[in-house]
Amino acid sequence: MIQETEYREGLNELAVCYKDIIKLLGEDPEREGLQKTPLRVAKAMQVLTRGYEMDAHKVLTDALFKEDYSQMVIVKDIDFFSLCEHHMLPFYGKVHVAYIPNGYITGLSKIARVVDIFSHRLQVQERMTLQIRQCIEETLHPLGVMVVVEAKHMCMQMRGVEKQNSITTTSEFSGAFNQAKTRQEFMNLINR
């Protein structure tokens, strides 16, 4: 959890911008209920975009262990929240990650941290899926990586087509997961 003293440079300038936005929307930023809103929103935005300040590769290498295990390692149902870069509205859901080690494993929580880092940026789901796969592949050099992201997008639910129950699924895979049989094994395991 981010502490009060951990906010990034530019917080006050960001709050001024949000005060201007409130005015442009036709509200009075000096109204009692809105007086602290610009700073609260600025802090929230810094928390929601904290992934820019983190190195996902370092997270994986900080817990890298030599191990001869060569079967699929799956971390599924990793909850995430992100902001769509097109409308700056949330999208959220679950990420499922599998990799087949090639001499090295990483701490299981580090996979979830990688998801957290890439989701805490202005994003599109397709790029986030690719970034997670690439990071694991480039850092661990496994025999294969597969990532599946399932998400609901507030930009589709609250505006535009207003379809509340739609779910978007994206996938990225490499190496051993290029084989349909290996992909199917992963899908069977995450859908249990």
Side-chain angles (χ1 to χ4, degrees), residues 34-138:
L34 291 174
Q35 287 175 358
K36 295 181 180 176
T37 297
L39 185 59
R40 284 193 296 258
V41 175
K43 288 178 177 180
M45 290 305 289
Q46 283 202 351
V47 169
L48 294 171
T49 60
R50 69 181 181 256
Y52 291 117
E53 302 293 312
M54 299 175 182
D55 182 347
H57 296 278
K58 184 173 179 348
V59 165
L60 291 175
T61 58
D62 281 352
L64 195 61
F65 309 101
K66 185 155 182 52
E67 191 63 52
D68 289 330
Y69 187 79
S70 60
Q71 298 300 313
M72 202 178 301
V73 175
I74 299 173
V75 182
K76 70 178 197 170
D77 295 331
I78 303 167
D79 292 319
F80 81 93
F81 297 89
S82 192
L83 287 176
C84 160
E85 70 180 33
H86 300 142
H87 304 100
M88 290 181 68
L89 289 172
F91 68 98
Y92 61 95
K94 297 200 179 289
V95 178
H96 315 287
V97 177
Y99 74 99
I100 300 173
N102 188 18
Y104 289 91
I105 61 171
T106 190
L108 298 175
S109 68
K110 304 310 179 190
I111 301 293
R113 293 270 320 270
V114 167
V115 170
D116 193 49
I117 288 168
F118 288 116
S119 67
H120 280 82
R121 299 176 180 185
L122 298 180
Q123 274 293 11
V124 294
Q125 182 174 334
E126 298 86 345
R127 182 188 321 114
M128 185 180 86
T129 307
L130 174 63
Q131 288 173 327
I132 294 166
R133 195 241 337 133
Q134 285 177 329
C135 178
I136 294 167
E137 187 170 35
E138 293 167 1

Side-chain angles (χ1 to χ4, degrees), residues 10-19 38 41-43 45-46:
L11 180 68
N12 292 327
E13 292 85 352
L14 194 54
V16 169
C17 292
Y18 280 111
K19 186 173 184 177
V41 175
K43 288 178 177 180
M45 290 305 289
Q46 283 202 351

Side-chain angles (χ1 to χ4, degrees), residues 142-158:
L143 299 174
V145 180
M146 185 157 181
V147 177
V148 173
V149 179
E150 301 170 305
K152 289 189 170 197
H153 292 251
M154 298 302 282
C155 57
M156 283 185 62
Q157 293 177 319
M158 296 175 63

